[in-house]
Structure formats: structure tokens, C-alpha cells
Amino acid sequence: MSRRRSMMSDQLKEEIARELGFYDTVQQEGWGGIKSRDAGNMVKRAIEMAETQLAKRQ
């Protein structure tokens, strides 16, 4: 399976993982160790953050 280029920076992913409470898993097992539910919640949170930023610009 090929590696895709990430749309989120590592810094943003780490920030969201800390906020959602699974950063310790990332540190111990890497990104492959997180649950699919956590990955989905991470994407939802990133979308919320992007929408908030867009709303502030308008």
C-alpha cells in the first residue's frame, strides 16, 4: 500500500490527538495504533477547526 501525502501537518495532528486524549497511544504505537473511531474524530475536529477559521474571515 502506498503512502499518501498528509493533508494535515504533524503539528496539527498531534494537537488534535492531545485534545481528544489519545496522544499517548500515538507516542507508544505510532499513528497506526489509533482506533478508526479516533481517526474519524480527529478528521471531524480538523473540519470543525477549518470551518471556524473560515467563519472568522467573513
Side-chain angles (χ1 to χ4, degrees):
M1 195 162 143
S2 66
R3 306 240 355 151
R4 294 184 189 181
R5 188 167 166 236
S6 178
M7 298 297 290
M8 285 191 277
S9 70
D10 289 338
Q11 181 180 358
L12 178 59
K13 289 191 291 189
E14 290 172 5
E15 176 186 332
I16 294 171
R18 281 187 193 98
E19 183 180 320
L20 297 177
F22 59 86
Y23 185 67
D24 56 330
T25 302
V26 173
Q27 287 184 310
Q28 293 173 7
E29 302 176 31
W31 290 105
I34 66 172
K35 298 176 184 175
S36 57
R37 173 174 281 174
D38 290 336
N41 287 336
M42 194 166 85
V43 171
K44 284 181 195 176
R45 181 65 183 123
I47 291 169
E48 289 171 357
M49 292 169 79
E51 288 175 341
T52 300
Q53 287 295 325
L54 285 173
K56 287 181 182 179
R57 291 182 184 179
Q58 296 176 355

